[in-house]
Amino acid sequence: MAAEKLTLVELLNLANEAYADGYLAEYFDPETGERRQGSGDTLAQFIVAELRDTFDAEVSRSAQLQEGRRVLSNAIDDLEGVIEKLQ
């Protein structure tokens, strides 16, 4: 049996469910996952860009979710480094 796959839209919608006010949806087309201009929340824009840029339709759902966690965790590390420097 083939591993279950995740579409780009499903991945973005999962992330959007966890984001305050569902604002990630301002930055992607709900049918295709393509970029939308959006406005006002650059963190939401960044999250959508990271998930879109690392999306691979050929990998399993589990692998795609793991990759999404990896890239967002790397971003957290970068932000924590900046916060530490500013203290």
Side-chain angles (χ1 to χ4, degrees):
M1 181 166 87
E4 184 182 353
K5 305 277 172 110
L6 189 66
T7 68
L8 175 60
V9 171
E10 289 171 329
L11 176 64
L12 294 172
N13 280 327
L14 275 173
N16 192 46
E17 288 173 16
Y19 198 79
D21 298 329
Y23 208 78
L24 296 184
E26 292 292 314
Y27 293 94
F28 69 92
D29 183 286
E31 293 182 19
T32 65
E34 292 296 315
R35 284 184 176 90
R36 288 198 324 197
Q37 187 64 31
S39 174
D41 189 337
T42 55
L43 179 57
Q45 182 180 21
F46 170 79
I47 292 169
V48 169
E50 287 293 293
L51 294 176
R52 284 188 85 261
D53 292 349
T54 59
F55 180 76
D56 182 349
E58 300 302 315
V59 303
S60 69
R61 175 185 179 89
S62 174
Q64 190 62 65
L65 292 173
Q66 182 177 4
E67 178 65 4
R69 288 189 303 269
R70 184 191 71 78
V71 298
L72 294 178
S73 290
N74 285 347
I76 290 168
D77 291 344
D78 292 342
L79 287 169
E80 286 176 340
V82 171
I83 290 167
E84 190 173 308
K85 185 68 174 179
L86 294 176
Q87 289 182 348

